[in-house]
Amino acid sequence: LAVSTGHVSAAEARDDFERAYFEFHLAREGGSMTRVAEKTGLERTHLYRKLKQLGVDLGRAKKAAVN
């Protein structure tokens, strides 16, 4: 039986931060991948790859941008 110590690895913390960072920018830019890419300094293709890696739901992020 593994006991959780409440510690988060550096990789998990980075992924959590990056997910929140990109979700914030997606909402702020109304879901525009072009503007998010410009604001974050990534090529659009790299941005799509990064969001997929982080498990960001683009459909949900775009809906959040509208609301």
Side-chain angles (χ1 to χ4, degrees):
L1 179 66
V3 177
S4 175
T5 60
H7 292 282
V8 177
S9 73
E12 290 172 316
R14 183 194 63 234
D15 287 351
D16 289 345
F17 170 80
E18 288 181 347
R19 191 174 302 106
Y21 175 78
F22 288 117
E23 287 174 345
F24 167 80
H25 281 288
L26 280 165
R28 186 173 184 178
E29 298 302 331
S32 169
M33 296 299 282
T34 298
R35 288 196 306 263
V36 172
E38 290 170 354
K39 297 284 184 184
T40 60
L42 293 174
E43 296 289 332
R44 278 184 44 233
T45 54
H46 294 168
L47 176 60
Y48 277 105
R49 190 175 305 128
K50 184 61 154 174
L51 294 176
K52 183 177 179 181
Q53 173 195 351
L54 293 170
V56 173
D57 182 351
L58 294 178
R60 193 182 87 210
K62 288 183 180 183
K63 284 182 186 176
V66 173
N67 295 332

